[in-house]
Amino acid sequence: MKNVIVVTGASSGFGALAARALARAGHTVYASMRETKGRNAAQVKEVENYAADHGLDLRAVELDVASQKSCDTGIQEIISKNGRLDVVVHNAGHMVFGPAEAFTPEQLAELYDINVLSTQRVNRAALPQLRKQGNGLVVWVSSSSAAGGTPPYLAPYFAAKAGMDALAVVYSRELARWGIETSIIVPGAFTGGTNHFAHAGSPDDKARAAEYEAGPYAGFGDQVLKGFASIVPADADVSAVADAIVRVVDAPFGKRPFRVHIDPTQDGAEVVNGVMDRIRAELLRRIGLGDLLTPRVVASLSHSAD
Amino acid sequence: MKNVIVVTGASSGFGALAARALARAGHTVYASMRETKGRNAAQVKEVENYAADHGLDLRAVELDVASQKSCDTGIQEIISKNGRLDVVVHNAGHMVFGPAEAFTPEQLAELYDINVLSTQRVNRAALPQLRKQGNGLVVWVSSSSAAGGTPPYLAPYFAAKAGMDALAVVYSRELARWGIETSIIVPGAFTGGTNHFAHAGSPDDKARAAEYEAGPYAGFGDQVLKGFASIVPADADVSAVADAIVRVVDAPFGKRPFRVHIDPTQDGAEVVNGVMDRIRAELLRRIGLGDLLTPRVVASLSHSAD
């Protein structure tokens, strides 16, 4: 079944890999990114070349997740060209690294914007169409930190990803009766293979950061990074995340996994989420809302046969 | 041991109760709130009367958690009057209720500001003093939703509280070597006894909310509230949260519980957090940072005997 799919943050990292892998699997894929005519012009060209070289139904689309207007325009462009939108992959995100106290509140707000408000903007642009169809899939690229290991010096990022994961869980319940399914991808730390760590932001309050470095946390940043290096296996393969997204999309409606963990570090998220998701399901059943755990069959699922 | 304590969001709810309970336990307590000369003037008078009637070392202090300047001024006032600050209780918070899709990104940002950036502002105002002392306690009033049951229609609030809980966990590691201890209070849903539910905000996008009401989620808001009502016992006592904060503050340094659950609904957070906190501790030990699980003894603990 050929789906029309948008992947956010697809200029690099998991997003770029997922867009290509979904196109290779035969889907119509929009690799969304900001500044397609500016800083990401080269990435757009790469997407076009990759599509041409492999004969894929894949292209870039301008969509800045920081702007509601841009989200609306990008999603509308996809819908007007295809008459539908089947899958939204929330992947856009950014990381920062440093002592929590040295980040300004404005930096925390910015991280929440990039990692969480971004999904809200895309949802508000896309969900009316998915609800109208009575069929769709929302894929969230969360983080193992939301339930598993949380090494220090990543507080603003972990706070944002925990917020995103919570949003994903509640949205899944509120979309189920519309015939929209939810899958949450939970990647562990991949310190190589993407620019996620290399491009991490740093605290604006340098004086506060220096106090940590001059005190009991001297050399701590390196210690944490060495800690990561010691648990990320040398063969950790970032394409495993893209492959997991393809498997989720290609699974039958109503049978897709609520979560898929791709964590070479085995930081424990899979154990915790296993317990947490069961306990949350139990609460819904206790209050008579157990139907929200499975997407309702609303529309005919034969759109690809049109 | 008499501690100098600030409690945020102490004009009502858990905060007001905690400030009074801590003062009754013999501490010097600052019930912080915004607009002490405006909308909260009556609350200030109540605090003053309560202090006078019971002979307590308790007063209100102007501190708007939405403003860094106000946080700095309020915290400095406490420090200049007492020469120290021992305990920060992060309690300020606000809730909203409605379908996730009907909240604007700006509303999600505002919720994150009130529930999370608020703690960052107070931390940035207060922690330099606690670090200088080499001794202190940070108490976070989190939410059982961050690990336990998450009924629908509370997405922006649950996302913010999950972020706050993540921030608390990472801060605990980054403050441990400074001699600062962390305790996270985890209240379940208390639908009565505070204004938390009664004063919950609603979605700005009324048209979007109406689509849910006209569709498969007709009457859903009432259904969720009835669900809550069915699991919150009639004798659920909000003062249990304040009492838990007193017990945490009065426990010996280094022996305070990392988490205390006060959840009459038994929504499962205690089970999940039990697993999650152990798994997170295990990861820290794996990467050689197990010392961060216990606050370091830095300063003499005899300040109250000065």
Side-chain angles (χ1 to χ4, degrees):
Chain A
M1 192 157 105
K2 188 170 172 164
N3 289 288
V4 178
I5 303 173
V6 62
V7 181
T8 67
S11 65
S12 68
F14 294 155
L17 293 167
R20 286 160 173 75
L22 288 163
R24 286 197 308 271
H27 300 289
T28 299
V29 180
Y30 288 78
S32 87
M33 58 190 79
R34 61 180 163 167
E35 298 192 45
T36 48
K37 290 179 177 150
R39 56 180 278 191
N40 283 324
Q43 279 69 35
V44 173
K45 192 72 200 156
E46 275 177 31
V47 169
E48 287 167 356
N49 290 343
Y50 190 89
D53 291 351
H54 298 80
L56 303 179
D57 195 0
L58 166 72
R59 82 280 303 141
V61 63
E62 174 73 31
L63 192 160
D64 179 355
V65 294
S67 153
Q68 185 67 59
K69 187 159 180 294
S70 177
C71 291
D72 291 345
T73 305
I75 295 293
Q76 273 316 309
E77 184 184 326
I78 298 169
I79 293 169
S80 67
K81 279 193 185 145
N82 298 275
R84 59 185 301 116
L85 173 60
D86 302 299
V87 182
V88 175
V89 181
H90 292 304
N91 164 76
H94 185 57
M95 180 187 264
V96 294
F97 188 78
E101 194 187 329
F103 289 95
T104 62
E106 290 72 24
Q107 287 189 286
L108 267 69
E110 196 189 339
L111 256 279
Y112 199 66
D113 195 303
I114 298 172
N115 291 289
V116 185
L117 303 188
S118 56
T119 68
Q120 180 69 1
R121 292 191 188 97
V122 172
N123 276 348
R124 282 176 54 79
L127 290 178
Q129 175 65 29
L130 273 64
R131 287 192 286 111
K132 193 169 77 181
Q133 292 164 192
N135 179 242
L137 168 66
V138 183
V139 178
W140 304 71
V141 181
S142 179
S143 161
S144 67
S145 63
T150 46
Y153 274 24
L154 288 154
Y157 177 69
F158 286 165
K161 293 304 285 194
M164 190 238 217
D165 198 281
L167 200 61
V169 169
V170 183
Y171 255 118
S172 75
R173 284 48 159 138
E174 298 179 11
L175 296 177
R177 289 185 187 169
W178 293 104
I180 301 172
E181 196 163 18
T182 296
S183 283
I184 305 174
I185 310 291
V186 187
F190 286 87
T191 46
T194 76
N195 293 321
H196 199 45
F197 273 74
H199 287 181
S202 62
D204 277 351
D205 189 341
K206 306 296 178 200
R208 203 67 72 98
E211 288 178 31
Y212 277 71
E213 193 56 41
Y217 287 84
F220 193 67
D222 286 341
Q223 241 181 300
V224 173
L225 290 179
K226 271 184 200 136
F228 269 115
S230 73
I231 58 171
V232 180
D235 63 352
D237 179 6
V238 289
S239 69
V241 175
D243 296 342
I245 294 173
V246 173
R247 281 195 305 276
V248 161
V249 169
D250 285 345
F253 179 83
K255 302 288 181 196
R256 289 160 172 143
F258 185 61
R259 287 189 195 268
V260 182
H261 294 81
I262 308 290
D263 178 17
T265 72
Q266 290 288 302
D267 77 357
E270 190 157 9
V271 176
V272 176
N273 277 325
V275 178
M276 186 156 61
D277 290 339
R278 291 294 286 262
I279 279 197
R280 286 176 168 168
E282 186 202 357
L283 182 92
L284 282 184
R285 293 195 182 97
R286 264 175 81 194
I287 62 176
L289 299 176
D291 74 289
L292 306 179
L293 296 166
T294 320
R296 189 179 285 184
V297 176
V298 177
S300 149
L301 301 180
S302 61
H303 72 264
S304 66
D306 289 352
Chain B
M1 195 157 103
K2 188 171 174 163
N3 289 288
V4 178
I5 303 173
V6 62
V7 180
T8 68
S11 65
S12 68
F14 294 155
L17 293 167
R20 286 161 172 74
L22 287 163
R24 287 197 306 272
H27 300 288
T28 300
V29 180
Y30 287 79
S32 86
M33 58 190 79
R34 61 181 163 167
E35 299 192 45
T36 48
K37 289 177 180 153
R39 58 181 275 191
N40 283 323
Q43 279 69 35
V44 172
K45 193 70 200 159
E46 274 177 31
V47 169
E48 286 167 358
N49 290 344
Y50 190 88
D53 291 350
H54 298 79
L56 304 179
D57 195 0
L58 165 72
R59 82 280 302 141
V61 63
E62 173 72 32
L63 191 158
D64 179 356
V65 294
S67 153
Q68 186 67 59
K69 188 159 177 293
S70 177
C71 291
D72 291 345
T73 305
I75 296 292
Q76 273 315 309
E77 184 183 328
I78 298 169
I79 294 170
S80 66
K81 280 194 183 144
N82 297 275
R84 60 186 302 117
L85 173 60
D86 302 299
V87 182
V88 175
V89 181
H90 291 305
N91 164 76
H94 186 56
M95 180 187 261
V96 294
F97 188 79
E101 193 187 329
F103 288 95
T104 62
E106 291 71 25
Q107 286 188 288
L108 267 69
E110 195 188 340
L111 256 279
Y112 199 66
D113 194 305
I114 297 171
N115 290 288
V116 185
L117 303 187
S118 57
T119 68
Q120 180 68 359
R121 293 191 188 96
V122 172
N123 276 349
R124 283 176 53 78
L127 292 178
Q129 175 65 28
L130 272 63
R131 288 192 285 109
K132 194 169 79 183
Q133 291 165 191
N135 181 242
L137 168 67
V138 183
V139 178
W140 304 71
V141 181
S142 179
S143 161
S144 67
S145 63
T150 47
Y153 274 23
L154 287 154
Y157 176 69
F158 286 165
K161 293 305 283 195
M164 191 237 216
D165 198 282
L167 200 62
V169 169
V170 182
Y171 255 118
S172 75
R173 284 53 157 132
E174 299 179 11
L175 296 176
R177 290 185 186 168
W178 293 104
I180 300 172
E181 196 163 16
T182 296
S183 283
I184 305 174
I185 309 293
V186 187
F190 286 87
T191 46
T194 76
N195 293 321
H196 200 45
F197 273 74
H199 286 182
S202 62
D204 276 352
D205 188 342
K206 306 296 178 200
R208 203 67 71 97
E211 288 178 32
Y212 276 70
E213 192 57 41
Y217 287 84
F220 193 68
D222 285 340
Q223 240 181 303
V224 172
L225 291 179
K226 272 186 201 133
F228 269 114
S230 74
I231 58 171
V232 179
D235 62 351
D237 179 5
V238 290
S239 69
V241 175
D243 295 342
I245 294 173
V246 173
R247 282 196 304 276
V248 161
V249 169
D250 285 345
F253 179 84
K255 301 289 182 195
R256 288 161 173 143
F258 185 60
R259 285 189 196 270
V260 181
H261 295 80
I262 307 291
D263 178 17
T265 72
Q266 291 288 302
D267 77 359
E270 189 157 14
V271 176
V272 176
N273 277 324
V275 178
M276 185 155 63
D277 289 339
R278 291 294 286 262
I279 278 198
R280 286 176 167 169
E282 185 202 358
L283 182 91
L284 282 183
R285 292 194 182 96
R286 263 174 81 193
I287 62 175
L289 299 176
D291 74 291
L292 305 179
L293 296 166
T294 320
R296 190 179 283 183
V297 176
V298 177
S300 149
L301 301 179
S302 60
H303 72 266
S304 66
D306 288 356

